[in-house]
Amino acid sequence: MRVLFVHPSPLMYSEIFLRLEPLGLERVAAAARAAGHQVRVVDLQVLGHKELRRIVHAFRPQAVGFGLNYLANIPEAIDLARAIKRAVPGCFVFFGGHSVSFVADDVLRQAEGAVDAVVRGEGEPAMAPLLAAVTDGGLGQVPGVVTADGHGPPPRMLHGIDEPRPARDLMRHRRRYFIGELDPCASIEFTRGCPWDCSFCSAWTFYGRSYRKASPEAAAAELASIAEPNVFVVDDVAFIRPEHGDAIAAELERRRIRKQYYLETRADVLLRNTEVFERWTRLGLRYMFLGMEALDAEGLDRFRKRVDPDDNLRALETARRLGINVAVNLIVDPAWDAERFRLVREFALSVPEIVHLTVMTPYPGTEIWRTESRRLTTRDYRLFDIQHAVVPTTLPLARFYEELVRTQSVIHRKHLGLRTAFGAARILADRLAHGQTNFARMLWKFHRVYNPRRQLADHGRPVRYRLPLPPAAAVGDRRELYIHTGPAPRSGPAARPAGGAADRTQ
């Protein structure tokens, strides 16, 4: 069967700071190819709709799968599904990915027949049986599959994540992927899942609080096969288990693999396992994303971070001592007033780290979806991108965006102003000398992308597809939120299907 996989267009935030290879989609594509299908991948982060239309007409796919890890991409995907159905009558169109797993029934209704199925949960276990059912029947018996007729059996979850290797050879324009100064940059997955239960996050509800690790040998072998000099580790929290991080490091040392790395972790993990991070700096760890989320204990408690402000500050000091460049994330509460924004600007200017701001957003699958979503001021999928306010703001909305962008601009100038211009110019010259323009584009696009008038105007766009509201009942047993409710299989056919990773990127 001819199968085409599509990654949607970039969101507002990633227009500037990053463009990551769609690792989950690459693994799902590898699963389909291992099952004997002819596979193509189109990444709309680097290719336009015109190129997608050309490939659809030339390839004439019998099945098209969209990877939807972000709610904001759902309207685009539905419209593209309609266009594909018109261009290739009889083509089977399906959606999969992290975010769409939580709203599968509603998306099917909104698509009005343009989408034949939604795959909930991890994508690879479903690929071989799903594509077989497209031709042979039995779609309703495929684990994790939702159709207009109802739900199939519960999604399967993999025990191991060593296989399949991402089908990186299917990706065109690999040099377009980057994160910050790491340009070009590939991605890799060492672990999957998160044992914490932060109220704003849906990683733990998607995976049912499971946690799985790639074998050190498989991780090192995959890194050895990656051509790019830079690698982003997509794990939700890197090096939770220090022995695992040490074992991968030992394999890299033995193979003499040297790259530059960017990863994400928590303050308490960094403090507890400092020796592992120090070892990785010798292997090329240069950048770290640290989710501080809030500056005060009240905010941390509200988000159930299970860490205190002093730990966050000690973690920053530890990263500085190790020579790791840190990007800090703070969650902007729509309830902030002008004084709170001012205090955040003061903090951002007082530390050498990069400070990113994301707007508190209740997503389906999170606990705050149940507690905050009744207050939604919009149900436009496109605004659920952590850069727009979707619940009431204390400040008038226009003023809220002015304060938000003002704060982001101050942070931007701190790192790209006169004092840092020389360093940025050196990096820019090096990237341009190697034909890489991603970093250069990042430097000049900030004020075009982050613009309060643009963000406010986004609220006035006509809305065709609306996010569903959650059940009125509060969360009782938090396992009600889980996509995967059973343990990962350890043996038998489900343990080693044609593939094995959730269709989630970054």
Side-chain angles (χ1 to χ4, degrees):
M1 178 184 294
R2 295 184 303 278
V3 184
L4 175 66
F5 290 100
V6 181
H7 187 285
S9 301
L11 301 182
M12 179 179 178
Y13 178 85
S14 57
E15 285 185 54
I16 298 180
F17 300 111
L18 54 83
R19 184 187 302 115
L20 299 178
E21 68 170 306
L23 190 65
L25 204 63
E26 290 172 348
R27 296 185 67 142
V28 171
R33 189 163 62 180
H37 301 284
Q38 186 181 355
V39 179
R40 298 284 185 275
V41 179
V42 172
D43 184 358
L44 294 177
Q45 294 180 108
V46 299
L47 298 173
H49 285 194
K50 182 178 179 180
E51 180 67 5
L52 173 61
R53 289 194 296 271
R54 187 193 69 76
I55 292 172
V56 166
H57 283 284
F59 186 50
R60 305 298 293 177
Q62 295 161 287
V64 176
F66 286 83
L68 289 167
N69 294 314
Y70 304 108
L71 286 175
N73 286 131
I74 286 176
E76 176 193 31
I78 294 176
D79 287 340
L80 289 174
R82 295 182 192 277
I84 289 170
K85 285 282 193 179
R86 290 192 298 269
V88 189
C91 179
F92 182 88
V93 178
F94 63 98
F95 288 177
H98 186 103
S99 286
V100 77
S101 291
F102 294 101
V103 291
D105 294 286
D106 299 277
V107 168
L108 284 171
R109 283 194 292 270
Q110 291 164 346
E112 299 175 326
V115 178
D116 297 290
V118 173
V119 180
R120 300 176 74 239
E122 295 187 325
E124 282 80 348
M127 276 307 100
L130 171 68
L131 296 175
V134 172
T135 55
D136 301 336
L139 193 61
Q141 301 306 310
V142 178
V145 167
V146 181
T147 69
D149 295 327
H151 288 232
R156 290 177 180 166
M157 186 164 60
L158 298 173
H159 171 57
I161 60 172
D162 286 356
E163 297 177 355
R165 289 268 189 91
R168 292 189 171 92
D169 60 295
L170 295 177
M171 305 308 300
R172 298 173 56 186
H173 308 294
R174 287 195 56 82
R175 293 180 65 82
R176 298 286 301 279
Y177 300 120
F178 77 103
I179 178 169
E181 297 172 7
L182 297 189
D183 179 12
C185 188
S187 295
I188 196 169
E189 182 180 38
F190 292 157
T191 65
R192 184 176 305 155
C194 181
W196 283 273
D197 58 351
C198 299
S199 63
F200 61 86
C201 182
S202 59
W204 62 278
T205 61
F206 184 88
Y207 294 115
R209 297 190 78 173
S210 67
Y211 182 73
R212 287 154 291 167
K213 307 184 295 290
S215 70
E217 297 78 14
E222 185 175 343
L223 277 170
S225 73
I226 291 174
E228 287 81 1
N230 309 301
V231 177
F232 177 63
V233 181
V234 304
D235 302 15
D236 292 303
V237 183
F239 306 149
I240 294 174
R241 305 285 174 82
E243 68 279 4
H244 185 240
D246 273 329
I248 298 175
E251 281 293 317
L252 298 183
E253 290 163 352
R254 184 178 68 82
R255 295 169 181 250
R256 297 183 179 180
I257 297 172
R258 289 286 303 179
K259 296 184 183 293
Q260 289 197 105
Y261 298 96
Y262 196 133
L263 54 75
E264 303 182 36
T265 196
R266 289 170 51 101
D268 48 357
V269 173
L270 174 59
L271 293 173
R272 187 167 58 246
N273 302 329
T274 302
E275 295 80 5
V276 178
F277 290 92
E278 186 174 13
R279 184 177 188 178
W280 272 81
T281 62
R282 295 192 291 272
L283 290 169
L285 174 58
R286 295 291 178 267
Y287 301 89
M288 175 186 296
F289 184 87
L290 198 64
M292 286 179 57
E293 321 307 359
L295 298 178
D296 57 1
E298 180 183 359
L300 292 168
D301 288 344
R302 184 166 60 253
F303 296 138
R304 205 163 52 237
K305 281 291 292 185
R306 304 186 192 280
V307 68
D308 62 55
D310 289 340
D311 285 340
N312 280 333
L313 296 178
R314 283 195 294 270
L316 293 181
E317 293 172 358
T318 298
R320 291 171 201 150
R321 178 173 58 81
L322 296 179
I324 302 172
N325 298 299
V326 176
V328 171
N329 185 69
L330 296 178
I331 297 177
V332 176
D333 191 327
W336 283 6
D337 57 14
E339 175 64 11
R340 176 54 67 95
F341 276 109
R342 186 189 66 78
L343 292 173
V344 169
R345 287 193 290 272
E346 283 188 358
F347 167 77
L349 292 173
S350 71
V351 297
E353 287 76 23
I354 298 170
V355 179
H356 288 304
L357 302 179
T358 56
V359 180
M360 191 279 290
T361 304
Y363 284 106
T366 65
E367 279 197 42
I368 60 173
W369 171 244
R370 297 289 190 99
T371 59
E372 296 283 348
S373 59
R374 292 284 148 184
R375 301 171 58 234
L376 291 178
T377 57
T378 177
R379 290 166 56 194
D380 184 351
Y381 283 105
R382 297 167 298 180
L383 299 182
F384 284 73
D385 63 352
I386 64 175
Q387 294 301 320
H388 291 83
V390 298
V391 298
T393 55
T394 295
L395 295 170
L397 188 58
R399 178 76 189 283
F400 174 83
Y401 283 133
E402 287 170 1
E403 289 289 340
L404 176 64
V405 173
R406 179 185 177 193
T407 306
Q408 291 167 323
S409 297
V410 166
I411 297 166
H412 180 74
R413 287 196 302 273
K414 182 184 80 168
H415 294 284
L416 296 174
L418 291 177
R419 287 185 299 173
T420 56
F422 181 69
R426 286 191 302 173
I427 296 168
L428 175 60
D430 177 73
R431 300 301 183 270
L432 292 176
H434 290 85
Q436 291 299 117
T437 61
N438 297 311
F439 184 69
R441 293 174 187 272
M442 179 187 78
L443 297 181
W444 312 125
K445 288 177 68 174
F446 181 87
H447 292 292
R448 191 185 75 190
V449 173
Y450 286 95
N451 183 310
R453 291 186 297 276
R454 170 189 172 179
Q455 287 172 278
L456 185 63
D458 288 342
H459 288 261
R461 293 178 295 181
V463 181
R464 187 173 178 185
Y465 307 110
R466 287 180 169 81
L467 191 67
L469 287 173
V475 177
D477 184 345
R478 284 190 285 151
R479 287 174 293 184
E480 297 171 10
L481 301 171
Y482 293 177
I483 292 293
H484 294 281
T485 56
R490 292 183 176 271
S491 61
R496 293 287 181 185
D503 184 13
R504 61 174 291 276
T505 313
Q506 313 89 37

